[in-house]
Amino acid sequence: MMHVKFWGVRGSIPTPGANTVGVGGNTACIELQYGDDNRIIIDAGTGIRELGDTLLRDRAVRGDGDPLHLFLFLTHTHWDHIMGFPFFAPIYTSGTSIDLYGPVTWEDESLRKVIGHQLSYQYFPVHSGELAADLQFHELREETVDLPDGMAVRTKYLNHPVRCLSYRFEYRGRSVVTAYDTEPFRNVFPSDPADPDYDAEIAVEATRAAEAENERLRAFFRETDLLIHDAQYTREEYLKARIGWGHSSLEDAVETAIASRARRLVLFHHDPERSDEELNRLVVEYRRSGREHGLDIDLAKEGLTVTIE
């Protein structure tokens, strides 16, 4: 059994306020609990602050003296996905150990160095060398990571301006996939014959290569029990002025889930300009198309918990 809880669901920047309090204004953070209280955290947006406080509070209530061991997977190191890390209370707690996984996302800088930049005196009052927790860094490419009690974590590159990973968590025949900060692969070369730089052979080959990558992603998502997918824009917004920004439309998310035969889709990484009212209206609209294909569609909200048995 796996329990997935959403602690931060917003994209790009935190959005506190009356218009976002229902869905939530914290940036990306998801908790996955499995087996004998094993805990995986996906991304360290501002939602991780409350998660950390809750972990320590629950531990104190239980009188649990065992060391806290966590697995933290970063999809990438853009600011909205790591900005909560310095406020994650367990890193200041002696006896805590954290295995931190993620892709190398900026030239040759190590994951340790990228994360360490946050915890330097130029930006924060606590230096990374002063943390009480034991942090172990693991840099990922496309590979499989084995965790305790039979959890396997597979990785796949997404289409984003920096290296960004999709994670497929597989446990006892069930799976959860994260696929956000991504947009469909596309031909980036001129496709209009009137363009002076148009090359028919290159255009055809680029289109073929893009579709092959999209098919690889659909295969990676295939028949997952839960697909958590980027849905920052509507298709109209995406086509008008968002191509190349590294985020998907709601229509793309739904179509991808259907093509992948996912069992459940959670729309995630909401646009900071999107109000609760707009999001709730949109999910009702897209649920209709999902039901026609046997796909359950939910809106990611802070506090939402999905149990996969």
Side-chain angles (χ1 to χ4, degrees):
M1 184 180 298
M2 292 184 282
H3 303 282
V4 179
K5 184 170 182 178
F6 294 85
W7 293 87
V9 300
R10 194 67 57 169
S12 303
I13 191 171
T15 56
N19 292 328
T20 58
V21 68
V23 171
N26 282 301
T27 61
C29 181
I30 303 168
E31 176 190 17
L32 191 161
Q33 186 176 349
Y34 74 96
D36 188 19
D37 202 31
N38 297 298
R39 293 179 188 272
I40 295 170
I41 301 168
I42 305 104
D43 280 327
T46 55
I48 202 172
R49 182 190 64 83
E50 187 176 353
L51 169 56
D53 292 347
T54 301
L55 288 174
L56 295 184
R57 184 169 56 248
D58 290 350
R59 190 166 174 240
V61 168
R62 292 194 309 267
D64 188 355
D66 292 337
L68 186 61
H69 186 192
L70 303 169
F71 302 94
L72 173 57
F73 285 81
L74 300 178
T75 57
H76 63 307
T77 57
H78 274 167
W79 183 230
D80 52 324
H81 293 259
I82 64 172
M83 63 198 306
F85 186 73
F87 302 92
F88 185 48
I91 65 177
Y92 304 104
T93 305
S94 180
T96 298
S97 60
I98 302 174
D99 281 287
L100 197 158
Y101 297 83
V104 179
T105 59
W106 182 250
E107 296 181 345
D108 294 324
E109 287 194 351
S110 67
L111 187 62
R112 179 188 295 272
K113 187 174 181 180
V114 172
I115 299 302
H117 281 168
Q118 292 180 287
L119 293 158
S120 59
Y121 292 135
Q122 296 98 316
Y123 309 113
F124 201 72
V126 180
H127 191 274
S128 58
E130 299 169 346
L131 301 181
D134 175 32
L135 269 65
Q136 298 296 321
F137 291 84
H138 310 272
E139 297 179 354
L140 296 177
R141 293 174 173 79
E142 290 191 345
E143 57 189 285
T144 299
V145 177
D146 293 318
L147 298 185
D149 295 339
M151 170 66 77
V153 186
R154 295 169 54 203
T155 66
K156 171 75 181 70
Y157 286 129
L158 295 168
N159 186 17
H160 199 59
V162 296
R163 286 180 186 167
C164 182
L165 288 174
S166 172
Y167 292 112
R168 184 177 178 112
F169 301 92
E170 298 178 336
Y171 181 67
R172 296 186 178 179
R174 296 289 185 261
S175 67
V176 173
V177 175
T178 62
Y180 49 84
D181 285 64
T182 189
E183 65 183 295
F185 287 92
R186 70 191 192 286
N187 169 27
V188 297
F189 296 95
S191 56
D192 182 356
D195 190 305
D197 294 324
Y198 173 75
D199 183 302
E201 185 176 350
I202 291 176
V204 169
E205 185 56 34
T207 299
R208 184 181 296 119
E211 182 49 38
E213 283 302 308
N214 289 327
E215 180 53 38
R216 285 188 67 206
L217 279 177
R218 289 190 287 266
F220 188 77
F221 305 156
R222 189 84 68 211
E223 296 182 349
T224 184
D225 296 283
L226 176 62
L227 176 61
I228 303 167
H229 200 287
D230 193 302
Q232 184 151 338
Y233 308 123
T234 65
R235 179 161 288 165
E236 181 181 3
E237 292 166 343
Y238 175 76
L239 293 175
K240 183 177 180 180
R242 303 291 188 268
I243 294 174
W245 287 26
H247 297 287
S248 296
S249 69
L250 290 99
E251 292 91 339
D252 286 329
V254 173
E255 290 169 7
T256 297
I258 292 171
S260 304
R261 299 197 296 276
R263 296 178 178 86
R264 188 170 186 175
L265 169 67
V266 173
L267 303 169
F268 188 75
H269 208 275
H270 309 311
D271 192 289
E273 300 296 325
R274 197 87 66 204
S275 68
D276 290 344
E277 182 180 356
E278 290 176 295
L279 285 168
N280 287 318
R281 175 179 54 79
L282 285 168
V283 74
V284 169
E285 178 182 339
Y286 290 103
R287 274 182 179 144
R288 295 194 196 102
S289 59
R291 278 196 297 267
E292 295 173 2
H293 297 271
L295 173 68
D296 292 328
I297 299 177
D298 288 312
L299 184 71
K301 297 182 178 182
E302 289 181 25
L304 172 68
T305 301
V306 179
T307 297
I308 300 166
E309 302 185 33

